[in-house]
Amino acid sequence: MRNITGFLAGLIFGIGLIISGMANPAKVLNFLDILGPWDPSLAFVMGGASITAFIGYRLVWSREAPLLEAKFDMPENNAIDAPLITGSILFGAGWGLGGFCPGPAWTSLAIGSPGILVFLPLMLVGIVLGTAAKSHSLFQLKGV
């Protein structure tokens, strides 16, 4: 049941990315380019997502447990540390340069966006290299 609900949630998310234009790298780059041909329409997408998340979290946290699990599975680490900041910078730089982030990148594969056949394999290489670097002792940071 968990796999089915996960699939349905991912499907709804992917459809939402396509409808909102987040799977179109040109639209994303035009939103990020405030000094050029700025397209403010994605601000409405983010606003709608923020409102939905705000209401959704209030409904979820009012429950004793999630619908399909015995308890909530929450991360224990809430530190703002070097790996988090580094990852955030790399994520933002990749999104700003390529116009894709991981969710829309997979969605764009289905709709055949130009450039996705370059971006997606390189994103996967970056994930593998990042995982290898994190597990290598030379890259271990205190407290990570």
Side-chain angles (χ1 to χ4, degrees):
M1 185 65 165
R2 183 177 176 165
N3 288 341
I4 293 169
T5 56
F7 173 79
L8 291 174
L11 183 64
I12 292 168
F13 180 69
I15 291 169
L17 289 173
I18 292 169
I19 292 170
S20 69
M22 293 273 307
N24 179 356
K27 187 169 189 76
V28 172
L29 293 173
N30 284 340
F31 173 72
L32 296 173
D33 187 6
I34 58 173
L35 298 177
W38 187 57
D39 179 1
S41 62
L42 291 184
F44 295 105
V45 173
M46 288 188 281
S50 297
I51 292 168
T52 302
F54 179 83
I55 294 169
Y57 272 102
R58 297 305 173 278
L59 293 173
V60 167
W61 291 128
S62 68
R63 301 181 52 83
E64 293 284 327
L67 290 174
L68 302 175
E69 295 292 328
K71 65 181 182 77
F72 289 106
D73 185 17
M74 297 298 297
E76 296 175 13
N77 182 1
N78 61 1
I80 298 175
D81 54 9
L84 177 66
I85 293 170
T86 303
S88 300
I89 290 169
L90 290 172
F91 179 90
W95 191 29
L97 291 171
F100 290 112
C101 64
W106 288 106
T107 304
S108 296
L109 184 63
I111 62 174
S113 290
I116 194 59
L117 296 178
V118 173
F119 180 86
L120 199 57
L122 290 176
M123 179 185 79
L124 295 174
V125 167
I127 290 170
V128 169
L129 291 176
T131 303
K134 186 173 181 183
S135 66
H136 194 277
S137 62
L138 291 175
F139 294 97
Q140 287 295 317
L141 301 172
K142 186 177 180 181
V144 178

